[in-house]
Amino acid sequence: MSARHLGLLVALLVLAAGFSVPDPARAANPLIADLSKNSIEITTGFSGTDVLLFGAIEGEGDVLVEVRGPASDIVIRRKERTLGIWINRDQVGFADVPSFYRLASSPGIFETAPNRALVRQYGIGTANLDLTTIGDIPDGHHASFRAGMIRNFEAAGLYAEDIGGVEFLGPGLFSAKLHFPANVVTGTYAVQVYLLREGLVVSKLNYSLVVQKIGIGAQVFAFAHEYPAAYGVLAIAIALLAGWFAGFVFRRR
Amino acid sequence: MQIYLPIAEMSVNVFLLLAMGGGVGFLSGLFGVGGGFLMTPLLIFIGVPAPVAVATEANQIVASSASGILAHMRRRNVDFKMGAVLLVGGLGGSYLGVWLFGVLRDIGQIDLMIRLSFVVFLGIIGAMMLTESSRALLRRGRKGPRTKLHQHTFLHGLPFKMRFRTSRLYISALLPLVLGFVVGMLAALMGVGGGFLMIPAMIYLLGMPTAVVVGTSLFQILFVTANVTFLQALNNQTVDITLALLLLVGAVIGAQFGARFGTRLRGEQLRGLLALMVLLVCAKLLFDLITRPESIYSIGLLGGHS
């Protein structure tokens, strides 16, 4: 835990202590939380990172944290064995699929039926995500392609559920570690923190987290997409120079 | 030490890339081949998206052929007229290849196409090299009957005859045009220079003197891979300069060691070794195609650009 996280923790402890003082403004919001950082920078050395969420609740209740990455329309293709080899055959398009999904919650949250009904209603959790298909598809394709897509995202580390990932450090004080792997896409991520009590949302907080490429890698990517012709010429020029330089260096041996 | 590749959008160990560049560079120096046909599958094996592997490897071949061609030009081993005709075909072939690449990508079949092409070409070339080198090893000592150097076939009856002074040939321009076209398409679709196909074809099909074959093919490869690099960057944004540079550093150094080591081994043994390696890569690619994949579902962005 870095010094900054420790500072955040102390600040939250003080705030949590403040809960015991009767204060109408505080009583109106029984949930407070904050992220250890609100931006993730993909640098040349980026290999994934953790974002810590700290918070405090007043009274009893379960905490649920949900992170959704930028959404886009995607196509899922299914391979079938054809003439002995596996070839992409059927495909199904899905609209507005989050590129990243994390759910972390206090342990035992789904042991009560009202909480389970609540997450279904809110579309929380990989099983409940509201994913609509694009165009007409054959019967039965929706469920199987949806499940295949989610399994792929999970295998890539982009979708995960962590029941028990919200840990209570003391009375009312909690933390959750949210992992972002190296293959996260850039954009704005929505972080939502829920305080649940007997199947009802008592309080909800929204945060946003920006994932961006910075440094030379970001410039290379932007250059390649904004000026593709110039990028191509540059790639050739670099290769020619490197090749001739190598030929020159090793010629005399 | 991990490095984030900006176009491939993945994090890879720098030393792994340097070692791969060095290893393939060593082999290319040892056997006198370009190495693209080994490097592209290797990049796919470590998880680089196949389209990025193909386009980036074309960029790397620009560098390796640039360093090779100067020496051949000094020794006057380049038939520029033949190279120019091959190049015209090559530019056409690479243009069509990059276009086809984009279409296949949009319909989700580019990965399959790249892998299948490699299985077919590596399989054929590996098998041919293996039989040729084992025959040579067996035959050593006793002389086989000499075949005629020049045999007249229907190929010599084709129209549009052209005189190639450096190669001392008077043949139809259609032959090098078609050959260049095929090799250009391979460069675009597979990220290979195509020397493994072009050099035998130049010797046996066109009947060029072996002295000018390597220099002339390098001349064509340099311009065709440069064209492929440009078109891939323009249409598909799949050229990763960072990846190309890292591979290049390893390849340049590896090639020097390979060339020195190669002088200590006999030709037939070398070709036999290379043939086994080519067949091994081919077998691994084929194995991946016929075994049930870990996930039969794959994800692509709608509109084609994954």
Side-chain angles (χ1 to χ4, degrees), chain B residues 5-18:
Chain B
L5 302 173
I7 303 296
E9 299 193 281
M10 62 183 290
S11 177
V12 190
N13 192 314
V14 175
F15 300 108
L16 175 68
L17 291 181
L18 289 177

Side-chain angles (χ1 to χ4, degrees), chain A residues 235-236 238-240 242-243, chain B residues 17 20-22 24-26 28 34-40 43 52-67 191-193 221-222 225-226 228-229 239-253 255:
Chain A
I236 296 166
I238 289 176
L240 284 177
Chain B
L17 291 181
M20 278 168 55
V24 174
F26 180 81
S28 66
F37 64 96
L38 286 175
M39 186 57 95
T40 309
L43 288 174
V52 177
V54 166
T56 303
E57 188 49 26
N59 190 23
Q60 201 215 316
I61 296 170
V62 173
S64 50
S65 46
S67 68
V192 296
I221 288 169
L222 173 64
T225 49
V228 169
T229 303
V239 178
D240 198 315
I241 293 187
T242 315
L243 178 58
L245 272 178
L246 281 168
L247 294 175
L248 194 77
V249 172
V252 164
I253 298 166

Side-chain angles (χ1 to χ4, degrees), chain B residues 147-154 156:
Chain B
T147 47
K148 261 205 302 187
L149 200 65
H150 253 48
Q151 265 162 336
H152 273 263
T153 61
F154 77 98
H156 294 86

Side-chain angles (χ1 to χ4, degrees), chain A residues 42-47 72-81 84-89 91 93-94 134 144-145 147-149 151-153 155 182-184 213 216-218 220-221 224-225 228-236 238-240 242-244 246-247 250-251 253, chain B residues 2-7 9-11 59-60 62-64 66-70 74 105-109 112 116 222 225-227 229-230 233-237 239-242 245 248 252-253 256 260 286 288-304:
Chain A
I42 300 181
T43 56
T44 309
F46 184 72
S47 59
S72 56
D73 294 351
I74 62 173
V75 57
I76 308 299
R77 301 189 172 95
R78 184 168 66 187
K79 287 189 178 67
E80 271 170 55
R81 178 169 253 158
I85 56 173
W86 289 87
I87 296 179
N88 283 336
R89 298 291 290 274
Q91 61 177 58
F94 284 93
I134 301 166
S144 57
F145 276 71
M149 170 173 72
R151 270 201 307 276
N152 271 19
F153 275 128
N183 52 350
V184 287
K213 291 184 184 180
I216 184 121
V220 169
F221 184 86
H225 283 84
Y231 181 89
V233 171
L234 183 74
I236 296 166
I238 289 176
L240 284 177
W244 278 326
F250 289 103
R251 182 157 58 125
R253 311 244 177 125
Chain B
Q2 298 290 115
I3 187 163
Y4 184 83
L5 302 173
I7 303 296
E9 299 193 281
M10 62 183 290
S11 177
N59 190 23
Q60 201 215 316
V62 173
S64 50
S67 68
I69 192 152
L70 287 184
R74 270 195 300 274
R105 181 153 124 161
D106 286 352
I107 60 168
Q109 302 296 355
L112 176 74
L116 267 183
L222 173 64
T225 49
N227 188 43
T229 303
F230 180 74
L234 189 67
N235 297 343
N236 304 321
Q237 288 92 44
V239 178
D240 198 315
I241 293 187
T242 315
L245 272 178
L248 194 77
V252 164
I253 298 166
Q256 300 304 319
R260 253 168 264 176
L286 186 64
D288 289 348
L289 280 175
I290 58 173
T291 49
R292 188 185 170 84
E294 221 165 281
S295 171
I296 58 169
Y297 294 92
S298 59
I299 300 172
L301 282 188
L302 212 60

